[in-house]
Amino acid sequence: MGARLPAAVRRRQLLDVAIGVFSTKGFHATSMNDVAEAAGVTKPVLYQHFRSKRDLYLAALNDVGDRLRQSIEKVTAEASSPREQVTAGLRAYFRFVDENTDAFSLLFGGGSRLDAEFSAAARAVEAAVAASTAERMDVTDLSTEERTLLGHAVVGLAEGACRHWLAEGRQIDPETLADQVSQLAWAGLRSIGNGGAGGGS
């Protein structure tokens, strides 16, 4: 079972499969056998990469968080203005969710919040994305704490919108939805501190 692959490629494959299985069945109902069978490998191969089911689940959470954060940081770094950073970041967020629904469900679903260690991992991802968002906010006269709080507010806005969007069957194009949410976020940011967010349109 399972052709021999380079370790990094095999790990990537196993994580992708595990994310899908965990998001469908949940942590407790999923066994390492389930993941191995879905990946087309033997259980010993799975254990070569992950010491336990808990280790695999945590690795999956961290992987999803890293990919989400990196996708946002890449596009915001290329944006030429604060307004474009807000729009580009939210487009990347919604695009990621649209293309990785299982990953979003794993990270932000209720199952990850029922276990203290998993909840801490999910919160760490949210904090990292919020911190990245806060760093790119061109809002004057704000303390680091206030800027971080606003970063969490923007991330919460995106997460809440995504939950409803997915529940309603994605009736709006992800980029259209991202643009609408960015207009809401930008209007709020501009109103904060000396005209806020650089004052541009």
Side-chain angles (χ1 to χ4, degrees), residues 74-139:
K74 181 178 184 297
V75 297
T76 55
E78 296 169 352
S80 60
S81 70
R83 178 69 176 91
E84 289 181 6
Q85 286 181 329
V86 172
T87 301
L90 285 168
R91 282 181 177 176
Y93 190 105
F94 279 88
R95 192 181 305 116
F96 181 90
V97 174
D98 187 44
E99 296 173 354
N100 303 274
T101 305
D102 286 347
F104 179 82
S105 298
L106 181 76
L107 185 60
F108 294 109
S112 295
R113 309 303 169 128
L114 299 177
D115 180 282
E117 189 174 16
F118 298 157
S119 179
R123 289 199 307 272
V125 170
E126 291 176 332
V129 175
S132 179
T133 301
E135 287 175 6
R136 289 161 173 77
M137 284 182 182
D138 186 12
V139 183

Side-chain angles (χ1 to χ4, degrees), residues 105-201:
S105 298
L106 181 76
L107 185 60
F108 294 109
S112 295
R113 309 303 169 128
L114 299 177
D115 180 282
E117 189 174 16
F118 298 157
S119 179
R123 289 199 307 272
V125 170
E126 291 176 332
V129 175
S132 179
T133 301
E135 287 175 6
R136 289 161 173 77
M137 284 182 182
D138 186 12
V139 183
T140 59
D141 294 340
L142 287 181
S143 66
T144 299
E145 291 76 14
E146 290 171 323
R147 193 179 296 273
T148 299
L149 182 60
L150 285 179
H152 278 276
V154 173
V155 171
L157 183 66
E159 179 189 337
C162 277
R163 287 181 184 276
H164 182 75
W165 177 60
L166 292 174
E168 294 299 311
R170 295 186 250 197
Q171 297 180 13
I172 303 175
D173 175 83
E175 288 212 353
T176 300
L177 179 57
D179 289 349
Q180 292 174 346
V181 173
S182 73
Q183 290 174 14
L184 176 62
W186 181 250
L189 290 172
R190 286 192 65 197
S191 70
I192 299 173
N194 288 347
S201 60

Side-chain angles (χ1 to χ4, degrees), residues 1-33:
M1 295 176 65
R4 184 177 295 277
L5 295 173
V9 176
R10 176 64 77 193
R11 181 181 174 86
R12 176 73 266 158
Q13 180 221 9
L14 294 174
L15 280 172
D16 288 340
V17 171
I19 288 167
V21 177
F22 280 132
S23 69
T24 300
K25 300 183 66 174
F27 174 75
H28 293 293
T30 298
S31 68
M32 291 294 266
N33 269 331

